[in-house]
Amino acid sequence: MRIDVVTIFPEYLEPLNVSLVGKARARGQLDVHLHDLRQWTTDIHRTVDDTPYGGGPGMVMKPEPWGAALDSVLAAGPEGEVPTLVVPTPSGRPFTQELAQDLASRSWLAFAPARYEGIDRRVIEEAATRMPVVEASIGDYVLAGGEVAVLVMVEAIARLLPGVLGNAESHRDDSFAPGAMADLLEGPVYTKPAEWRGREVPEILLSGHHGKIAQWRREQAFARTLAHRPDLVARWPRDAFTKKEREALSVLGLAWDDSAGRFRSAVEPVEE
Ligand code: ADE
C-alpha cells in the first residue's frame, strides 16, 4: 500500500518509523511518502493560513498550497491511479474498525491533516471531483491538528494489511472485529506468573479446557461491554447467542426486550 501525507509538521509523523508500521515500511509492505505543505507556498513567509471569511476565531488553511500539493501527489503516484484522500477532522464520520477495513483494501491513500480551524472547503470539494474523499474523526474531542489522527488511522489500517501482523489470527478476536458479533469488547488477558502480588490468574484459564475457556472469555466480554459501552449492547442482535450465553447475559441482568427491540438491563430505567 502507498501512503502520502501532506502536513506542515512532517516531523510529527516520525512514529511511522517505529514498531509495527516501521517494520511494515522496512519490509516494503507500506510505501510512505511525507510531504511538507510549505513547499507549495509561494510567498516569502511560506504562509499556509489566513483569516476566515465571515469572521470568527482562528485561522483557515489557504486553498492554493493544498491544491498544488494534491496535484503533485497525484502526479507522483502510479500512472492512471488516484488515491483515496483521507481528511482527519472532528466533523468527519467516525473512524471505526469497519472504515479501517475498507481503507485497508485500497492500494493508495493520501492523508491531508489540517491545523488551525481546518482547510478551505473548496479544496475538499475540488479534490472530490478527482478522487474518493473520506472525512473521518477519531473521536468526540478536538485535537490541535490532524497529524495524531493520521498516526492512529495508519496504525489501525496497517495492522490489517496481509502479512503485517506476525500471527494472521491475531486480529480475529479484536474488539470490533467483524464476524459473529462485531459489537463486543475484548475481555481481560493474563500471562505468567500464575500468581503476582497475591493475585491469581482466573483458574479456568489454567484448566486446559478450551471449550470452557472460550465460554468464560465470551462472558467476560459481555460484562466488559455492558460496563463500558452499553451503546454497543443495544446493537446486539437477538439471535446471536447460544442458550448458555443467554444464561450468562441474564446473570448480568440483560434480557431481550421485545418492545424496545434490543437487549436491556433490568436496572435500566424504562423510557417513556
Ligand atoms: N483533528 C482535530 N480533532 C480531530 C479528531 N477528533 N479526529 C480527527 N481529526 C481531528
Side-chain angles (χ1 to χ4, degrees):
M1 169 184 275
R2 178 182 170 120
I3 291 182
D4 287 88
V5 186
V6 180
T7 167
I8 57 168
F9 293 123
E11 66 274 25
Y12 226 115
L13 294 139
E14 282 287 315
L16 295 180
N17 289 317
V18 181
S19 187
L20 178 125
V21 175
K23 282 190 195 130
R25 289 178 77 176
R27 283 195 219 109
Q29 292 160 326
L30 262 189
D31 178 24
V32 179
H33 301 254
L34 301 180
H35 313 275
D36 186 344
L37 178 68
R38 291 195 201 273
Q39 76 185 88
W40 289 287
T41 55
T42 48
D43 64 315
I44 184 130
H45 301 295
R46 310 182 86 197
T47 310
V48 293
D49 61 334
D50 206 336
T51 53
Y53 273 122
M59 299 291 272
V60 175
M61 295 193 100
K62 292 164 65 60
E64 303 95 323
W66 275 109
L70 295 178
D71 292 348
S72 171
V73 165
L74 238 74
E79 180 88 36
E81 273 186 53
V82 294
T84 294
L85 181 65
V86 182
V87 185
T89 162
S91 46
R93 61 186 271 206
F95 181 76
T96 58
Q97 189 66 20
E98 198 181 353
L99 182 50
Q101 296 265 5
D102 173 353
L103 295 174
S105 73
R106 310 195 183 205
S107 58
W108 185 11
L109 301 176
F111 287 89
R115 290 266 142 184
Y116 317 111
E117 296 298 311
I119 304 172
D120 185 300
R121 188 67 205 164
R122 293 167 294 181
V123 172
I124 315 300
E125 287 172 4
E126 194 260 349
T129 66
R130 299 192 280 162
M131 62 196 108
V133 176
V134 178
E135 294 176 272
S137 165
I138 62 162
D140 293 341
Y141 39 78
V142 180
L143 302 167
E147 284 76 7
V148 170
V150 171
L151 293 175
V152 168
M153 294 185 202
V154 169
E155 185 160 316
I157 292 163
R159 65 189 287 284
L160 297 175
L161 298 177
V164 167
L165 279 193
N167 176 354
E169 299 279 282
S170 34
H171 39 70
R172 196 196 52 199
D173 295 336
D174 286 350
S175 300
F176 308 111
M181 212 162 71
D183 300 315
L184 195 58
L185 303 185
E186 239 188 289
V189 294
Y190 302 86
T191 185
K192 290 175 268 302
E195 192 203 308
W196 177 77
R197 298 193 177 179
R199 291 164 188 276
E200 289 178 1
V201 167
E203 216 180 309
I204 183 85
L205 296 177
L206 311 176
S207 71
H209 195 303
H210 299 301
K212 283 195 177 146
I213 290 171
Q215 163 83 8
W216 180 86
R217 287 194 168 138
R218 195 115 165 112
E219 290 170 16
Q220 293 292 313
F222 296 157
R224 195 183 274 213
T225 309
L226 178 62
H228 295 170
R229 296 291 303 276
D231 58 311
L232 296 182
V233 171
R235 292 200 224 151
W236 290 353
R238 191 180 122 130
D239 299 320
F241 305 95
T242 62
K243 190 157 170 278
K244 264 206 175 132
E245 289 172 346
R246 276 181 189 277
E247 281 164 25
L249 293 179
S250 94
V251 170
L252 293 170
L254 283 171
W256 181 260
D257 179 335
D258 233 348
S259 60
R262 63 175 172 87
F263 279 92
R264 191 200 274 285
S265 171
V267 296
E268 223 181 295
V270 177
E271 296 137 30
E272 290 309 313

